[in-house]
Amino acid sequence: MVKPSIVSIEEAKEAVEAKKVFHEVDTVLQKPELPHGCEVTGLATLLSYYGVKADKCELADEWLPKGVWGQTDFRKAFVGDPRKTYASAGCYGSVIEDTGNRYLASEKKELTIISREGVDCYELLSMVEKAPVLAWTTMNLNAPYIAQVWNVDGEELYWLNYEHCVVLTGYDLEKEVFYGTDPLYGPCEYDMKLFLLRFQTMYSQVVQVEKINP
């Protein structure tokens, strides 16, 4: 597990010009159809900001690569099935990048999905200043723990329980909060310091949408 570091909000204030930002996005909830589908639901939410009405269930059923519990690298495919409440875990940003780009290519949209890992806290603020992003965190900002250990293709993989992702839609540096839409709850407000700690623990993963011909 990544050991997070405490972030100075005062330093964060120097990373962006706008001290308060909010982007309007559609609210898309994962349940009841996708009890384990925060990732594709977040993707559908993110795409809606760019005018793409992607259906969360179509993304989950037709475009999301899936693999068997205990035999799948969650960086390459979703472990299990988002529609199931058992033997399902989730996936990381690289899988959502692949899912989104294949879907966008089929729709002939001039957009591209980019996943990044190791994004520092100040970069995250700078990204959110410009547009919403899908960020990996934990459910209810609970502390994650290693719940499963799998050996896949000779590599030992550790699955962190409470893995979750939300679309960050803005922030308020004076209040020290992020704004976002959570696939489980809808619009939410997160304590910035705690969110950044959980974000770091989940490998500081972000998925962005960019225009191919801006």
Side-chain angles (χ1 to χ4, degrees):
M1 289 177 60
V2 174
K3 185 177 180 180
S5 59
I6 301 298
V7 176
S8 166
I9 300 301
E10 290 305 313
E11 289 182 14
K13 290 178 181 179
E14 302 302 318
V16 291
E17 292 184 11
K19 304 311 175 191
K20 183 176 181 179
V21 168
F22 185 77
H23 307 285
E24 292 283 351
V25 300
D26 295 335
T27 296
V28 184
L29 298 178
Q30 64 189 79
K31 292 184 176 181
E33 299 91 346
L34 305 176
H36 273 91
C38 65
E39 299 94 346
V40 288
T41 302
L43 175 61
T45 301
L46 192 60
L47 288 174
S48 74
Y49 179 77
Y50 293 88
V52 179
K53 301 299 181 182
D55 180 75
K56 64 180 183 180
C57 293
E58 179 185 350
L59 290 173
D61 295 341
E62 299 182 24
W63 299 99
L64 181 70
K66 306 175 194 67
V68 178
W69 176 273
Q71 302 175 34
T72 302
D73 185 339
F74 41 79
R75 299 165 301 186
K76 298 179 181 178
F78 186 96
V79 177
D81 188 324
R83 286 189 178 272
K84 296 181 179 179
T85 56
Y86 59 91
S88 287
C91 64
Y92 282 0
S94 50
V95 179
I96 295 304
E97 176 182 337
D98 173 60
T99 300
N101 280 329
R102 286 186 292 107
Y103 173 77
L104 289 170
S106 75
E107 295 291 311
K108 296 181 171 55
K109 302 293 186 182
E110 294 200 348
L111 298 169
T112 187
I113 307 291
I114 299 171
S115 67
R116 294 181 57 191
E117 186 177 307
V119 172
D120 72 38
C121 302
Y122 310 120
E123 286 180 289
L124 179 63
L125 275 167
S126 183
M127 291 176 186
V128 177
E129 183 180 24
K130 298 178 180 69
V133 300
L134 183 61
W136 266 248
T137 181
T138 60
M139 294 174 62
N140 301 312
L141 300 186
N142 291 321
Y145 62 91
I146 296 173
Q148 301 289 334
V149 181
W150 297 311
N151 191 291
V152 181
D153 299 327
E155 182 180 2
E156 200 166 63
L157 301 176
Y158 302 88
W159 180 255
L160 299 180
N161 208 31
Y162 293 127
E163 176 265 352
H164 194 46
C165 54
V166 302
V167 176
L168 293 181
T169 57
Y171 58 79
D172 187 325
L173 289 174
E174 297 305 320
K175 292 175 64 177
E176 298 186 2
V177 297
F178 277 114
Y179 299 114
T181 181
D182 188 312
L184 285 172
Y185 309 116
C188 288
E189 185 177 298
Y190 312 99
D191 177 85
M192 186 172 284
K193 287 182 180 177
L194 182 56
F195 187 95
L196 291 171
L197 286 174
R198 301 298 184 239
F199 174 71
Q200 291 176 71
T201 306
M202 295 307 301
Y203 304 102
S204 303
Q205 297 179 79
V206 166
V207 163
Q208 301 171 277
V209 178
E210 291 189 2
K211 296 179 181 179
I212 295 175
N213 295 308

